[in-house]
Amino acid sequence: VHYFSSETNYAGVVAELDSDGGYILSGEVARENGGSDALIIKTDARGHKVWEKVIPNAIINAIKPSQNGYILVGDSIQLNTGSVEVELSELINTYARLLLMDTQGNVIAEHLSSRKARIGDDTLTIDYHGSAFDVAAVGRIIMLGSYRIPGGHESTFVSAFDPSNISDSLWYQSYQSLDHDLFNCNVLHITSSSNLVWASRTHTQ
């Protein structure tokens, strides 16, 4: 058992076996203003820390080793609590985030999923969350996430990316329930017949 800590609170999120026999972990660092940063820790095969990196204003929900480093999926978080007369839905905005990281923990590419929606007389942010991903046999990254239009239900999306250029998705498909919120698990599987499998729970206020 290994413990990683500092003067701020750490919370573990996910750990994966690395390609070199060590491990790669993601955690959450709580900040005093209510925000959080993502903490990435690389260890050797016995769990001793090799390096750590902090990604500001982020949560990483899924991480896996890739051919040239690591693939990460999670959220980018924007706090607007200092704004005057801001809409309730705009106090905290989230954006689904796909990151590519090299073997030393440096971010080399990223994609943010974000859109605006016209609600009445206001233009509001659609909050996105990155839940999970898997890599297809052809090398494409398939990301699972969710989004919520202000005043609507949480809905699911899946999208595909070419790892050589993740600036835009290759395709995007959304799934909604008229009566329920859909909350995804943090695991996505691609079967040998190229089907996508994941679990969600339905929720009604």
Side-chain angles (χ1 to χ4, degrees):
V1 178
H2 290 270
Y3 296 94
F4 305 99
S5 62
S6 73
E7 294 180 354
T8 56
N9 290 326
Y10 284 0
V13 178
V14 67
E16 292 283 347
L17 179 65
D18 205 343
S19 54
D20 63 358
Y23 300 91
I24 188 76
L25 299 78
S26 77
E28 184 179 345
V29 182
R31 290 190 279 111
E32 292 182 356
N33 65 354
S36 62
D37 299 329
L39 174 70
I40 309 300
I41 296 177
K42 164 64 182 166
T43 78
D44 61 19
R46 295 184 59 83
H48 299 120
K49 183 167 63 176
V50 177
W51 53 256
E52 71 175 40
K53 297 288 184 178
V54 172
I55 304 175
N57 304 307
I59 294 175
I60 298 301
N61 294 315
I63 183 170
K64 292 180 183 179
S66 66
Q67 190 173 19
N68 301 312
Y70 306 98
I71 304 170
L72 304 84
V73 161
D75 300 352
S76 180
I77 305 167
Q78 178 180 327
L79 300 178
N80 303 314
T81 52
S83 303
V84 179
E85 296 183 357
V86 66
E87 291 281 344
L88 183 62
S89 67
E90 301 295 283
L91 288 176
I92 301 176
N93 293 134
T94 59
Y95 310 92
R97 194 173 192 177
L98 170 64
L99 296 170
L100 302 183
M101 183 178 277
D102 67 17
T103 56
Q104 299 305 309
N106 302 303
V107 174
I108 56 176
E110 71 174 309
H111 174 86
L112 290 178
S113 298
S114 64
R115 281 192 301 143
K116 298 284 188 178
R118 188 72 177 173
I119 310 294
D121 295 330
D122 300 315
T123 300
L124 303 178
T125 302
I126 300 174
D127 289 320
Y128 280 83
H129 300 281
S131 305
F133 73 93
D134 201 357
V135 179
V138 294
R140 291 179 177 177
I141 302 168
I142 310 298
M143 180 168 71
L144 169 70
S146 66
Y147 67 94
R148 183 190 295 271
I149 298 173
H153 291 293
E154 193 83 13
S155 302
T156 291
F157 76 86
V158 287
S159 56
F161 295 87
D162 181 346
S164 66
N165 181 7
I166 62 171
S167 60
D168 199 4
S169 61
L170 301 172
W171 55 258
Y172 174 97
Q173 178 67 48
S174 62
Y175 304 89
Q176 301 91 22
S177 171
L178 295 178
D179 303 315
H180 308 283
D181 290 314
L182 300 177
F183 294 105
N184 300 320
C185 67
N186 288 343
V187 178
L188 172 72
H189 296 289
I190 302 175
T191 70
S192 58
S193 55
S194 298
N195 291 322
L196 306 181
V197 181
W198 71 90
S200 301
R201 68 180 175 91
T202 60
H203 178 262
T204 303
Q205 291 281 9

